[in-house]
């Protein structure tokens, strides 16, 4: 099945320019230029030497703890998932559910100490990233795995121009000349919708708005056409029009390069539009996973159902106040030994407080970590 998303549903490449009165941006020349760069400089994801059915990227039983003065926090607990080339995996959950810590653990971006990766495997093309030395890991970041961070203001270095920061991975990973990297940096800024990129490439992060800084971060993540792109709230700072453009661009590049995308977000509507599969996290655990249509139509975990019920619905008669999930996620000073959601769950029973639920298959790639999964179709559909 072809990847979902805005790009797969429309064949034209004309997008509204982000600034009124400037007209429209035709992406076709830029995408053709990206093709030329890909063919001449970049390695596309390959599964050579791997069984054809093997996923491009696989995480097995990942565990991450954070040592603090108040004790040890078990932030990531036996997280497992996989993703294939050209596929988009949406990761959702409340703040504090472990999404960002999980993503940064994948390529060891968290300082150690206080963070400790206690176990698991992170396999890219069959190679375990958790066993790489620092030099090999540095070569892999940006080239094979790209990362779009939540906060562009703290992710961009304020004392270097955005052009210098875009050129750095191009020169480091692809061996491009200074001039070639500069020209490519200008193309990347144009690709993400920044006007007058030839001038702005020499400006500093403080001269860009929050949304434009986020687009710079996306350009940096896509610079080397990575095999896997991890996007942690990539469109948080953008309005809905620019958000749609960025999603379109990323899907277009994904379809050309076979790139796998892990999209972390709070926006369930975005996940419904772009994801092939959805991973729902709570208390550092995967509590439900499945194809996007099946999960939205029939969520089996009470938390997933409660999360979807908070989505605002446009149109129709005036509704009651927006729903919220009562209570707060637990502070994980100990590894979970029982259902972490039971205190907030209206379906909890005695077994939920005595035994940790394990992920169990339902049907067609849909699984849930719940002793008493819900079976009826969700009301929000």
């Amino acid at each position: 099945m072809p990847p979902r998303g805005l790009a797969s549903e429309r064949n034209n490449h004309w997008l509204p320019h982000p600034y009124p009165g400037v007209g429209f941006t035709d992406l076709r020349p830029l995408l053709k230029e990206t093709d030329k760069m890909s063919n001449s400089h970049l390695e596309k994801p390959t599964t050579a030497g791997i069984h054809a059915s093997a996923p491009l990227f696989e995480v097995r039983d990942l565990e991450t703890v954070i040592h603090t003065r108040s004790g040890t926090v078990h932030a990531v607990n036996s997280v497992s998932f996989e993703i294939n080339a050209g596929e988009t995996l949406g990761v959702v959950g409340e703040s504090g559910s472990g999404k960002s810590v999980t993503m940064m653990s994948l390529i060891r971006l968290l300082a150690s100490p206080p963070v400790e990766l206690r176990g698991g495997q992170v396999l890219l093309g069959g190679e375990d990233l958790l066993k790489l030395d620092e030099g090999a890991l540095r070569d892999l970041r940006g080239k094979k795995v790209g990362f779009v961070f939540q906060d562009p203001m703290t992710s961009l270095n304020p004392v270097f121009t955005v052009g210098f920061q875009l050129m750095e991975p191009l020169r480091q990973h692809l061996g491009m000349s200074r001039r070639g990297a500069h020209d490519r940096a200008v193309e990347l800024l144009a690709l993400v919708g920044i006007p007058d990129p030839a001038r702005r490439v020499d400006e500093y992060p403080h001269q860009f708005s929050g949304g434009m800084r986020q687009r710079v971060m996306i350009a940096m993540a896509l610079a080397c056409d990575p095999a896997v792109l991890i996007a942690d709230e990539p469109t948080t700072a953008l309005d809905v029009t620019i958000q749609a453009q960025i999603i379109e661009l990323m899907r277009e590049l994904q379809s050309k390069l076979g790139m796998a995308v892990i999209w972390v977000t709070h926006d369930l509507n975005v996940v419904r539009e772009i994801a092939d599969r959805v991973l729902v996290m709570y208390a550092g655990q995967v509590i439900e996973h499945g194809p996007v249509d099946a999960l939205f139509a029939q969520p089996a975990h009470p938390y997933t159902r409660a999360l979807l019920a908070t989505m605002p619905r446009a149109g129709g008669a005036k509704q009651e106040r927006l729903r919220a999930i009562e209570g707060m996620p637990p502070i994980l000073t100990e590894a979970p030994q029982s259902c972490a959601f039971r205190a907030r769950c209206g379906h909890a029973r005695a077994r939920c407080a005595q035994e940790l639920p394990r992920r169990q298959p339902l049907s067609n790639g849909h699984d849930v970590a719940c002793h008493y999964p819900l079976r009826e179709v969700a009301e929000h559909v």
Side-chain angles (χ1 to χ4, degrees):
M1 184 179 71
R4 294 168 57 89
L6 299 175
S8 62
E9 295 167 6
R10 293 188 287 173
N11 293 322
N12 74 72
H13 304 283
W14 291 90
L15 296 180
H17 197 283
Y19 295 90
V22 179
F24 288 80
T25 301
D26 183 6
L27 300 179
R28 286 172 292 190
L30 295 171
L31 292 169
K32 288 178 181 177
E33 189 63 28
T34 300
D35 277 344
K36 289 192 291 184
M37 296 296 298
S38 301
N39 293 334
S40 59
H41 295 284
L42 309 180
E43 297 178 5
K44 295 186 180 182
T46 177
T47 55
I50 306 171
H51 191 275
S53 62
L56 173 66
F57 192 65
E58 185 175 8
V59 179
R60 299 176 182 171
D61 298 320
L62 182 67
E63 293 190 13
T64 302
V65 299
I66 304 173
H67 301 288
T68 72
R69 292 179 179 179
S70 302
T72 298
V73 177
H74 295 260
V76 180
N77 299 287
S78 297
V79 167
S80 298
F81 63 88
E82 60 185 43
I83 185 169
N84 299 306
E87 190 176 31
T88 298
L89 177 69
V91 181
V92 300
E94 292 173 283
S95 295
S97 60
K99 304 184 302 297
S100 294
V101 175
T102 298
M103 296 305 117
M104 288 191 282
S105 296
L106 300 180
I107 52 176
R108 290 157 47 191
L109 286 174
L110 298 168
S112 178
V115 176
E116 177 189 352
L117 295 175
R118 281 202 170 165
Q121 293 179 299
V122 179
L123 305 174
L124 176 61
E127 182 178 34
D128 190 353
L129 307 190
L130 300 187
K131 293 182 178 179
L132 296 179
D133 60 42
E134 190 59 37
L137 194 60
R138 191 181 302 113
D139 290 339
L140 176 138
R141 295 177 185 139
K143 183 177 182 181
K144 293 184 179 179
V145 180
F147 206 112
V148 182
F149 295 93
Q150 256 183 11
D151 186 356
M153 191 60 191
T154 58
S155 301
L156 291 169
N157 193 321
V159 302
F160 294 108
T161 65
V162 298
F164 179 90
Q165 295 178 68
L166 279 167
M167 291 164 60
E168 186 177 21
L170 296 170
R171 301 192 70 188
Q172 172 72 26
H173 296 307
L174 306 181
M176 297 180 69
S177 67
R178 182 178 180 84
R179 181 63 187 174
H182 181 274
D183 291 344
R184 175 62 171 161
V186 173
E187 293 167 4
L188 287 165
L189 291 181
L191 191 62
V192 295
I194 292 180
D196 197 5
R199 176 179 62 86
R200 305 222 65 179
V201 74
D202 295 320
E203 294 184 346
Y204 292 85
H206 73 271
Q207 296 174 277
F208 289 75
S209 67
M212 293 175 74
R213 284 194 293 266
Q214 188 68 298
R215 290 199 290 273
V216 171
M217 288 299 303
I218 292 170
M220 290 176 66
L222 296 176
C224 297
D225 292 350
V228 179
L229 178 67
I230 302 172
D232 190 359
E233 297 279 1
T235 57
T236 297
L238 310 179
D239 62 49
V240 291
T241 303
I242 307 304
Q243 176 178 284
Q245 295 179 18
I246 294 300
I247 292 171
E248 177 95 10
L249 283 168
M250 293 178 72
R251 297 302 293 179
E252 195 73 48
L253 292 170
Q254 180 185 30
S255 66
K256 289 177 177 293
L257 301 172
M259 179 173 60
V261 175
I262 303 173
W263 193 290
V264 181
T265 184
H266 292 282
D267 194 331
L268 296 169
N269 286 313
V270 169
V271 167
R272 193 170 195 171
E273 284 294 325
I274 69 169
D276 299 299
R277 291 181 292 113
V278 183
L279 202 71
V280 182
M281 292 193 66
Y282 185 79
Q285 305 168 75
V286 176
I287 53 97
E288 188 163 3
H289 158 262
V292 63
D293 291 334
L295 189 139
F296 271 76
Q298 195 166 350
H301 198 286
Y303 174 69
T304 307
R305 188 156 300 204
L307 201 63
L308 294 174
T310 64
M311 294 173 61
R313 291 179 290 277
K318 184 177 180 179
Q319 300 291 320
E320 69 276 7
R321 295 181 65 180
L322 292 176
R323 298 183 186 180
I325 305 175
E326 297 295 331
M328 296 289 290
I331 298 174
L332 300 171
T333 53
E334 296 181 359
Q337 301 296 324
S338 58
C339 177
F341 186 62
R342 68 183 187 278
R344 309 170 71 187
C345 180
H347 303 271
R349 307 180 197 177
R351 183 185 177 190
C352 302
Q354 300 166 355
E355 182 183 341
L356 180 67
R358 304 292 180 182
R359 289 169 67 179
Q360 55 180 302
L362 298 176
S363 62
N364 300 323
H366 191 178
D367 61 77
V368 64
C370 182
H371 295 308
Y372 308 102
L374 305 176
R375 301 294 182 181
E376 68 273 14
V377 176
E379 295 178 1
H380 69 276
V381 178

